[in-house]
Amino acid sequence: MKAFDYIRATSVAEAVAAAARPGAAYLAAGTNLVDLMKGGISRPDTLVDVTRLPGLDRIERGADGSTRIGALVRNAALAHDATIARRYPALAEALLSGASGQLRNAATTAGNVLQRTRCQYFYDTASACNKRDPGAGCAALGGVTRSHAVLGWSDHCIATHPSDFCVPLAALDATVEIAGPGGARSVPLEAFHRLPGDHPERETVLEAGDLVVAVTLPPEAEAFAGHSRYLKVRERTSYAFAVVSAAVGLAMDGDRIGQARIALGSVALKPWRARAAEDLLAGAAPTPETFAKAAEAALADARPSGDNAYKIELARRIVVRALTLAAAGTPDRVPALPASPFAPHPPHPFGRSPRPCLSVSATAPPSASRSPGATAMPRSPGRPATARISGPRAWPTR
């Protein structure tokens, strides 16, 4: 590892001033950065430790009903916060589906948002990578591309963004609060990450010295709590990044969908908001046919970047399944295996059974042992507390 200078900042202003210097980088938990430094991918001259900055480890409720999550709130603390799980269940489910318990105990809110791609060519310093070395080329093009992008990619980069957490954040219109040399500003999370274009080395809108200090969820995000899910297809049932994922929220208006929120993960170099699909769902009945049309709209612009055309169909199916499960109502508790698409379909809320063709195929086996201890989640209005689904992997009940 390259030798570096170390500064422990005691205030946001001190941290910003130190990190504005050329070659500086922020350090919090370091769950991604330290690996990058060990591999010679990231070679900062100075690390600015922000782990002791006061006030950034809090979850705060705003007077307008918004929720502000400090940059240093640990992923585990956020996922197990009862208020977060009640108001934003897809967020809790996404967090609990990622990494391992040990990593969630260390990883921070800002670090999760800022984590870098897991493209194998980015991590292999012997391979050409425009993100790591601008102008070097992209060895992934024509290489092993099974996990690469199907939306928003360019001839300069076909990597994907790996975060589970960012997918529901994008769906719920979260904003990122930034402190920098030029002062404070807020950026919608949807606009925070950049698509590769001609400059894949520019991953976010952050400039030199900019520090993420919080992520804020607007008061409107809570409207989707009763019909909200995050689903993730992965190659093994835990401790794996998504092949594709989807966060869905529905605000029901009687037996119709009033509003919908959909975002996809691991299909592009940023969480992908499916606004055309949301527009199609507004005012529609929650039927399998409607969900299939929404999935088509969500992936209308998708194209394979190599040997990964299967991801397009897989993403359609995960959107349909997430919508079906969300329409049935948020479960009383986080499932024993959070975000698993292999749980049995619940009864449809309006008496229609999902069609068998909506099942999801993936390489991961559809089995997982149930474990005790789950974070409470809101019960959809009208669903009894003792509701139970038949089958070996029934949802936990209150």
Side-chain angles (χ1 to χ4, degrees):
M1 183 186 293
K2 175 186 172 182
F4 56 87
D5 294 329
Y6 173 85
I7 297 172
R8 178 178 292 174
T10 58
S11 69
V12 169
E14 181 184 343
V16 168
R21 303 170 188 168
Y26 288 116
L27 173 70
T31 56
N32 188 198
L33 176 60
V34 172
D35 284 345
L36 293 170
M37 292 173 66
K38 287 179 177 178
I41 299 146
S42 182
R43 296 172 58 82
D45 297 316
T46 304
L47 288 184
V48 182
D49 187 340
V50 296
T51 54
R52 288 164 175 78
L53 296 186
L56 300 190
D57 58 352
R58 301 172 186 166
I59 303 170
E60 301 170 306
R61 182 74 160 176
D64 61 352
S66 62
T67 299
R68 185 177 186 271
I69 304 165
L72 297 179
V73 174
R74 307 291 175 173
N75 287 182
L78 185 61
H80 290 288
D81 183 272
T83 302
I84 292 294
R86 184 174 68 253
R87 292 173 179 157
Y88 319 108
L91 203 65
E93 191 165 14
L95 285 166
L96 290 171
S97 74
S100 65
Q102 295 91 333
L103 286 171
R104 290 192 297 270
N105 285 339
T108 63
T109 294
N112 197 317
V113 171
L114 289 167
Q115 65 180 298
R116 306 188 71 183
T117 183
R118 267 37 179 214
C119 172
Q120 63 268 36
Y121 297 98
F122 172 69
Y123 275 81
D124 177 15
T125 55
S127 297
C129 176
N130 287 317
K131 184 177 289 295
R132 190 183 64 247
D133 182 13
C138 177
L141 288 167
V144 179
T145 54
R146 186 176 182 277
S147 62
H148 285 74
V150 294
L151 285 164
W153 57 273
S154 74
D155 290 338
H156 298 277
C157 181
I158 59 174
T160 60
H161 193 268
S163 174
D164 294 297
F165 179 49
C166 285
V167 183
L169 286 179
L172 295 174
D173 292 319
T175 58
V176 181
E177 296 181 29
I178 302 165
R185 70 187 193 276
S186 293
V187 177
L189 185 127
E190 188 180 359
F192 180 79
H193 299 97
R194 297 177 184 268
L195 291 175
D198 295 335
H199 294 281
E201 75 278 7
R202 299 175 62 187
E203 299 181 357
T204 70
V205 299
L206 295 179
E207 302 292 344
D210 280 352
L211 174 67
V212 173
V213 295
V215 172
T216 300
L217 289 156
E220 297 79 15
E222 198 172 339
F224 303 95
H227 295 271
S228 181
R229 292 306 302 272
Y230 177 75
L231 293 187
K232 172 181 179 178
V233 176
R234 45 197 153 178
E235 293 187 334
R236 56 180 183 263
T237 54
S238 66
Y239 197 50
F241 293 103
V243 178
V244 296
S245 65
V248 166
L250 302 175
M252 302 303 298
D253 184 7
D255 62 353
R256 290 188 171 268
I257 300 168
Q259 297 182 68
R261 296 289 184 270
I262 303 173
L264 293 163
S266 294
V267 295
L269 199 52
K270 61 184 291 183
W272 193 269
R273 183 75 177 268
R275 291 188 178 273
E278 295 173 3
D279 293 342
L280 187 150
L281 289 168
T287 64
E289 294 78 10
T290 299
F291 295 159
K293 290 178 182 177
E296 289 292 334
L299 279 298
D301 296 328
R303 58 192 178 103
S305 57
D307 188 23
N308 60 353
Y310 81 99
K311 285 187 68 169
I312 300 173
E313 177 59 21
L314 187 60
R316 291 190 188 107
R317 295 189 181 204
I318 206 67
V319 168
V320 170
R321 190 156 180 99
L323 286 167
T324 303
L325 293 173
T330 304
D332 296 336
R333 297 179 184 274
V334 173
L337 183 62
S340 172
F342 298 109
H345 277 295
H348 195 280
F350 305 113
R352 307 180 187 93
S353 297
R355 293 181 175 180
C357 66
L358 301 182
S359 62
V360 176
S361 297
T363 56
S367 62
S369 60
R370 295 180 60 193
S371 59
T375 302
M377 295 176 75
R379 185 169 64 253
S380 177
R383 289 179 64 229
T386 56
R388 183 179 292 275
I389 299 166
S390 60
R393 295 185 302 282
W395 299 117
T397 58
R398 289 182 187 269

